[in-house]
Amino acid sequence: MILLAGCETVVELNLPEPEPTLVINSVLNPDSLFAVDVSANQTIFSNQAYKPVENAAVQVYRAGQYVEELQEVSKGRHRGTRRPQELQPYEVRVSAPGYPSARATTELPAVPVLSEVSATKVPSSSPGFFIVEASLVLTDVAAQEDFYYVQAYTPDVDRSNNNKPYNRYVSLTLLSPFEAEFSMEVRSFFSDRLFNGQALKLRFRLENSAEKTTYVRVARVSKAYYEYVRALEKQSYGDNILISSAPVANNIQNGLGLLGSYTASTLAIKP
């Protein structure tokens, strides 16, 4: 056993390079113009940034009818002149020299129905400083799967950049008995599996001064978008090396990536 313990065999594997494949990433919403990023796949052992695919042709169709061809505004980044509409099905078709053509479909969800909004001042951990606790009622659509995220922001200025205005994201904590299923950056995601077809009262705490207006966005998202972000969250290991890797969600036919969509309602909240 001592002799065996000292033996070591190194086996080198010559893995074939993956076939060239288009990677398409886009999340459509009615508040933005059509936008699609196109890049190339690479081996899982590569440490290089993904390579944009230049000179790709990106076309958008609605319910089978041609809408427009997006223009390449920078390497691999394509933008259109129109906005998608809620409750409409869209298809994105992409072709590029040296790659098999790829396509994907999505349907923009209906805008979330929100009501009964209320807000109150509550003391924060800092003496004399008040933040906001608020609630709203989200009415879910019956007999269908729905997926949501909620986030918050407040107008601010960047004092290090000539007081340039921007939207500063605000920490939003959902209060019991309801909790988000997972979070990614400033967005808290959940599905309607516990309240399908019902009116859900969401209570949350906003880590922003009660003297300022906080904007809360509630978005209904496509299933593909929800599953894609959930996969990304599972792969965010942090310091936990015991977490198993998770497959990345993909809804691109003959390619890789995501074509997702969402439609949002935004509320201005101030006690």
Side-chain angles (χ1 to χ4, degrees), residues 33-262:
L33 301 175
F34 287 105
V36 177
D37 290 355
V38 183
S39 58
N41 67 322
Q42 61 185 16
T43 173
I44 60 174
F45 301 106
S46 175
N47 293 321
Q48 303 298 318
Y50 281 95
K51 180 182 177 181
V53 173
E54 298 183 57
N55 302 318
V58 181
Q59 296 178 331
V60 176
Y61 291 78
R62 182 180 64 221
Q65 300 298 313
Y66 175 79
V67 175
E68 67 172 328
E69 181 164 339
L70 309 190
Q71 300 301 308
E72 188 170 18
V73 295
S74 62
K75 292 183 179 180
R77 298 181 180 273
H78 298 255
R79 298 293 181 269
T81 60
R82 303 183 184 183
R83 302 172 188 265
Q85 302 171 14
E86 66 173 285
L87 295 176
Q88 293 294 317
Y90 289 94
E91 180 182 24
V92 173
R93 303 178 187 177
V94 182
S95 60
Y99 297 88
S101 297
R103 63 178 60 193
T105 59
T106 188
E107 180 171 325
L108 270 71
V111 64
V113 178
L114 309 178
S115 60
E116 301 181 30
V117 182
S118 64
T120 59
K121 296 181 180 180
V122 295
S124 71
S125 57
S126 301
F129 186 76
F130 289 85
I131 56 176
V132 180
E133 284 191 2
S135 67
L136 59 84
V137 171
L138 167 63
T139 301
D140 186 63
V141 179
Q144 70 178 42
E145 283 187 306
D146 283 309
F147 307 90
Y148 302 92
Y149 76 70
V150 58
Q151 68 177 123
Y153 63 91
T154 188
D156 208 336
V157 294
D158 185 354
R159 292 178 175 80
S160 63
N161 189 18
N162 297 321
N163 290 329
K164 183 178 179 179
Y166 75 106
N167 290 329
R168 173 175 56 83
Y169 289 110
V170 172
S171 174
L172 182 151
T173 304
L174 290 172
L175 303 177
S176 59
F178 189 83
E179 296 181 356
E181 296 171 14
F182 59 90
S183 297
M184 178 59 68
E185 297 176 342
V186 297
R187 294 162 293 169
S188 298
F189 287 80
F190 55 94
S191 66
D192 68 346
R193 61 188 179 88
L194 297 179
F195 61 94
N196 186 278
Q198 301 177 21
L200 172 69
K201 186 171 185 178
L202 285 175
R203 297 177 56 247
F204 45 90
R205 178 180 294 112
L206 300 168
E207 298 294 335
N208 193 31
S209 169
E211 304 305 317
K212 296 184 178 181
T213 300
T214 306
Y215 293 86
V216 174
R217 174 181 295 161
V218 180
R220 179 181 277 119
V221 307
S222 66
K223 184 176 183 179
Y225 183 25
Y226 172 88
E227 291 181 342
Y228 186 85
V229 176
R230 180 171 61 178
L232 292 182
E233 191 270 340
K234 288 182 178 179
Q235 292 189 5
S236 301
Y237 305 133
D239 295 328
N240 190 350
I241 62 174
L242 300 179
I243 297 178
S244 300
S245 60
V248 177
N250 174 51
N251 69 334
I252 309 298
Q253 298 178 37
N254 212 32
L256 299 170
L258 166 73
L259 177 62
S261 57
Y262 72 86

